[in-house]
Amino acid sequence: MPHSTSSPRLGDLERVVMEQLWEHAGAEGTTVREVHEALAGGRDIAYTTVMTVLDRLAKKDLVSRERDGRAWRYRAAASREALTARTMRMTLDDMDVTDRRAALLHFLDGASTAEIDDLKAALAEVEARHTD
Amino acid sequence: MPHSTSSPRLGDLERVVMEQLWEHAGAEGTTVREVHEALAGGRDIAYTTVMTVLDRLAKKDLVSRERDGRAWRYRAAASREALTARTMRMTLDDMDVTDRRAALLHFLDGASTAEIDDLKAALAEVEARHTD
DNA sequence: AGTTTCTACTACGTCGCGTAGTTACCAGCC
DNA sequence: GGCTGGTAACTACGCGACGTAGTAGAAACT
């Protein structure tokens, strides 16, 4: 058995497809055809390939789908930001870090000032949320 | 081509082996034999399997090795915390997040109070470092 | 010299993912 | 009502990563 982690790892094509879902993110969802057409502009890819990928993403619960007549409409189950956060969290949890502060410190070491500001803003926001 | 990310993803056994290196982390390093003996207590595993894994980890630059007579002594190239941080960073970078603040906010959503404190401590530490 | 110890190389099975074909269904058109 | 086009469902193949390990050969101990 290769991997125990249930980490939502994305392959390259899976990522590209998710991009599409994120970009055309509306409440309506996106069909295979729409995704395929969007991708077919930039690369040579078969319709069924897109179908397969969307199917796999659905099985991983990274996208949800609802019937629309005969077809399916796919929607990203989580925003790009939420998925990113989830993946980061899983890393932190899976790695079984004892000294979390040290890990976070290392993380900040690689951060730009802008990113640190983003983090402080986010931090302030959760704080505020807890207070009110 | 399956993956573009040069993310240092660990398999299950690779992780277990890294644990050993981290636990017996001294300046001296650890031999294959030592790792094997440590693991052989809990599971049925061949000496050569451990060797192969260590070899692959070395090729991924996750461990370094120095000769010790005929044998090699392996050392984790990065601490568990540093590797964790690096992986988290790669996730954040690879996901091409536009709204980093939102991503970090999501991340904090899943955090315990203790973790938030750890983060604040780490943040204070980088701040201090920049100031002095 | 024979036995042990360690490396180096090769190998095999499984799984994830990129990639796609084939088959079959259903809805509308001529 | 059979043909056509769009969809889905299922199957498949190649490749790389990883768990797993065997074998060959060098080196060292006895």
Side-chain angles (χ1 to χ4, degrees):
Chain A
M1 232 150 260
H3 279 269
S4 65
T5 72
S6 58
S7 159
R9 184 154 189 83
L10 294 181
D12 289 343
L13 181 55
E14 290 177 329
R15 171 93 45 91
V16 171
V17 169
M18 287 300 289
E19 305 278 353
Q20 286 305 315
L21 297 192
W22 282 324
E23 271 167 39
H24 306 177
E28 350 76 44
T30 315
T31 62
V32 175
R33 174 135 313 267
E34 283 160 358
V35 174
H36 178 242
E37 269 163 11
L39 296 188
R43 62 195 291 170
D44 188 22
I45 189 158
Y47 178 89
T48 50
T49 300
V50 177
M51 241 183 46
T52 303
V53 169
L54 278 167
D55 210 56
R56 287 179 183 161
L57 288 172
K59 278 189 185 115
K60 295 193 223 177
D61 286 320
L62 288 173
V63 309
S64 61
R65 56 184 203 176
E66 320 159 356
R67 278 285 175 193
D68 177 18
R70 240 162 0 107
W72 293 99
R73 300 202 79 91
Y74 291 84
R75 284 187 301 115
S79 70
R80 185 200 297 261
E81 285 73 21
L83 183 58
T84 305
R86 175 150 53 111
T87 306
M88 289 173 65
R89 169 140 309 281
M90 273 176 174
T91 300
L92 186 55
D93 291 346
D94 283 355
M95 286 290 287
D96 221 33
V97 169
T98 45
D99 190 347
R100 213 163 29 193
R101 199 181 116 279
L104 292 170
L105 192 54
H106 277 290
F107 178 75
L108 294 180
D109 264 349
S112 64
T113 10
E115 195 168 304
I116 294 200
D117 286 346
D118 286 334
L119 183 57
K120 284 196 280 198
L123 206 45
E125 202 160 323
V126 267
E127 298 276 279
R129 206 183 299 163
H130 271 254
T131 316
D132 98 282
Chain B
M1 230 151 263
H3 280 269
S4 65
T5 72
S6 58
S7 159
R9 185 153 187 83
L10 294 182
D12 290 343
L13 181 54
E14 289 177 329
R15 170 91 46 89
V16 171
V17 168
M18 288 300 289
E19 304 278 354
Q20 286 305 315
L21 298 191
W22 282 325
E23 272 167 39
H24 305 174
E28 349 78 43
T30 314
T31 62
V32 175
R33 174 136 313 268
E34 284 161 354
V35 173
H36 177 241
E37 270 164 11
L39 295 188
R43 61 196 290 174
D44 188 23
I45 189 159
Y47 179 90
T48 49
T49 300
V50 176
M51 239 183 49
T52 304
V53 169
L54 278 167
D55 210 57
R56 285 179 184 161
L57 288 172
K59 278 189 186 115
K60 294 193 223 175
D61 285 320
L62 289 173
V63 309
S64 62
R65 56 183 203 176
E66 320 159 356
R67 279 283 176 194
D68 176 19
R70 223 155 25 97
W72 293 100
R73 301 202 76 93
Y74 291 84
R75 283 186 302 115
S79 69
R80 184 199 300 261
E81 285 73 23
L83 183 58
T84 304
R86 179 156 42 118
T87 306
M88 288 172 65
R89 169 140 308 284
M90 274 177 174
T91 299
L92 187 54
D93 291 347
D94 284 354
M95 287 290 287
D96 222 34
V97 169
T98 45
D99 190 348
R100 213 163 28 193
R101 200 182 116 278
L104 292 170
L105 193 54
H106 277 289
F107 178 74
L108 294 180
D109 264 349
S112 64
T113 9
E115 196 167 304
I116 294 201
D117 286 345
D118 287 335
L119 183 56
K120 283 196 281 198
L123 205 45
E125 203 160 323
V126 268
E127 297 276 277
R129 206 184 300 162
H130 271 254
T131 316
D132 96 282

